Amino acid sequence: MGGATGDVAVDAYHKYKEDVQLMVKTGLDAYRFSISWSRLIPSIQPHVMLFHFDHPQALEDEYGGWVSRKIVKDFAYYADVCFRDFGDRVAYWTTLNEPNVDVLGGYDTGHLPPERCSPPFGLNCTKGNSSSEPYLVAHHLLLAHASTVRLYRENYQDTIATRRALDFLIGLILNPLVFGDNPYAVKNNAGLRLPAFSDYESKQVKGAFDFLGLNHYSTDYVTDN
């Protein structure tokens, strides 16, 4: 709000020691904090949200962000980058967070970014139209969602399944020889059944080959289950 960004915020991750000192000086006798479940037990499956009310300022400046149909193509491109770069570690994706709240808060009442509204529905907005923009934004959000789902189903859904199958068929042997560790998909699915390499074992196994021989007998088709 008001031009602020979440780039750094309070930066408690790096300044926790300074924060504790300030608490002591202030005379506080209690401090509530959160433990990150996903950091403490990282084997939990990540569930990634692609859009949580924050599109690039450059798109807002160029064509008004979600009020323009141009954002549908840009959102699909952004999703494509995420699927391509993180798809081997992420099995669950969500496209849009609370799209109805985004529509009403950002383009009707204007109390959420990008603070677009008009009287009498919203106050203190310098741009926007509460009578028309919420409908445009809702329409474009739906189109962006549909485009992203289609992109994923056509280009990535079976691709991820194929990669996982190859990790079990070939990567179980080849990955340790090349990288010194098992493939992520194998570790994630096999869990404690898969022995972990110690640092010493990893160094022994990594690079322990002069050439690779690959037998190809047939082609298999894989679908995700």
Side-chain angles (χ1 to χ4, degrees):
M1 303 292 285
T5 71
D7 292 347
V8 178
V10 296
D11 200 19
Y13 183 82
H14 293 104
K15 296 185 177 180
Y16 69 95
K17 292 183 179 179
E18 297 175 39
D19 289 343
V20 172
Q21 292 176 352
L22 288 172
M23 290 178 222
V24 174
K25 291 180 181 179
T26 308
L28 300 181
D29 58 5
Y31 169 52
R32 187 184 75 90
F33 65 95
S34 301
I35 294 176
S36 174
W37 190 355
S38 57
R39 286 180 183 270
L40 186 63
I41 309 177
S43 59
I44 292 172
Q45 283 279 4
H47 195 138
V48 174
M49 174 75 65
L50 290 172
F51 175 73
H52 198 135
F53 304 166
D54 58 335
H55 59 273
Q57 183 64 43
L59 303 187
E60 187 71 18
D61 296 338
E62 182 180 344
Y63 52 67
W66 286 106
V67 299
S68 171
R69 192 185 181 98
K70 292 180 180 179
I71 201 170
V72 175
K73 183 178 180 180
D74 284 335
F75 184 80
Y77 176 79
Y78 154 64
D80 191 30
V81 172
C82 292
F83 296 153
R84 185 180 67 242
D85 291 351
F86 309 121
D88 60 331
R89 285 157 286 171
V90 177
Y92 304 102
W93 300 89
T94 301
T95 52
L96 309 169
N97 175 74
E98 297 180 311
N100 56 334
V101 174
D102 188 25
V103 168
L104 296 175
Y107 302 87
D108 184 18
T109 63
H111 69 278
L112 293 176
E115 298 178 319
R116 297 178 70 102
C117 65
S118 62
F121 308 100
L123 302 174
N124 302 319
C125 290
T126 59
K127 55 186 175 182
N129 188 326
S130 298
S131 296
S132 61
E133 287 190 353
Y135 302 109
L136 282 174
V137 172
H139 186 66
H140 297 152
L141 284 167
L142 286 168
L143 293 178
H145 165 77
S147 296
T148 301
V149 170
R150 185 171 64 252
L151 169 73
Y152 183 82
R153 289 175 176 172
E154 292 178 354
N155 299 310
Y156 292 97
Q157 196 162 42
D158 288 341
T159 300
I160 293 173
T162 301
R163 183 180 301 156
R164 187 166 59 243
L166 288 173
D167 280 343
F168 274 90
L169 181 65
I170 299 175
L172 181 64
I173 303 300
L174 189 58
N175 261 61
L177 290 172
V178 176
F179 302 109
D181 197 8
N182 289 301
Y184 174 82
V186 177
K187 292 193 291 185
N188 187 53
N189 284 275
L192 296 177
R193 292 173 293 165
L194 180 69
F197 289 102
S198 67
D199 289 342
Y200 175 75
E201 291 171 335
S202 177
K203 291 177 181 177
Q204 277 193 315
V205 173
K206 184 178 181 180
F209 67 98
D210 293 318
F211 67 93
L212 171 66
L214 180 65
N215 293 332
H216 183 274
Y217 297 107
S218 62
T219 298
D220 293 326
Y221 292 91
V222 176
T223 56
D224 193 41
N225 182 12

